Amino acid sequence: MKKTAVLLILLITSTCFSFAKPRNESEHKILSVKNHALYFKVDKSFIGGTVEIYNAHNKLVGEETLTSTHTTLDFINIPMGNYTIKVKKVNNIILFNYSNPFKS
């Protein structure tokens, strides 16, 4: 009887784990790029950190504090070109690129 109960519990446990979805390990996701705006989402551990925008010459163009996991960066007054977005908090850093195809 004990063996049957143990086997039943192991079967239920293994079935639950086999259907569990793995956590998405990506710390950021670009949600939308349109009308001079970049809309992205970061992991909630980055709230309170900063978002920095660097141009192709690695010059800091803008900086903003993250107050939410969802952030919109407006590139309407920034010249067309390639930019690097750096999201950082303490020792965690996310880097991704954005190409602004619009003239300001």
Side-chain angles (χ1 to χ4, degrees):
M1 183 68 175
K2 287 183 181 182
K3 287 183 183 179
T4 306
V6 170
L7 285 174
L8 184 61
I9 290 171
L10 288 175
L11 179 65
I12 292 171
T13 305
S14 66
T15 303
C16 290
F17 283 119
S18 66
F19 287 112
K21 292 182 181 179
R23 183 176 176 214
N24 186 1
E25 294 299 322
S26 178
E27 294 180 322
H28 81 284
K29 182 177 181 181
I30 297 175
L31 301 174
S32 174
V33 178
K34 59 182 173 183
N35 298 333
H36 303 281
L38 171 68
Y39 182 54
F40 64 95
K41 176 184 176 183
V42 294
D43 188 69
K44 62 183 173 184
S45 64
F46 285 92
I47 293 176
T50 58
V51 177
E52 298 174 345
I53 304 169
Y54 293 90
N55 65 10
H57 304 292
N58 257 353
K59 182 179 176 185
L60 184 65
V61 176
E63 185 176 7
E64 184 177 319
T65 301
L66 273 178
T67 58
S68 173
T69 57
H70 291 73
T71 304
T72 302
L73 298 177
D74 188 6
F75 285 85
I76 198 161
N77 293 323
I78 296 179
M80 61 188 286
N82 295 319
Y83 294 90
T84 301
I85 313 299
K86 183 187 288 188
V87 182
K88 62 182 183 177
K89 182 173 180 187
V90 189
N91 291 331
N92 295 331
I93 297 175
I94 299 172
L95 290 173
F96 56 96
N97 296 318
Y98 171 72
S99 180
N100 184 19
F102 304 104
K103 292 184 179 180
S104 58

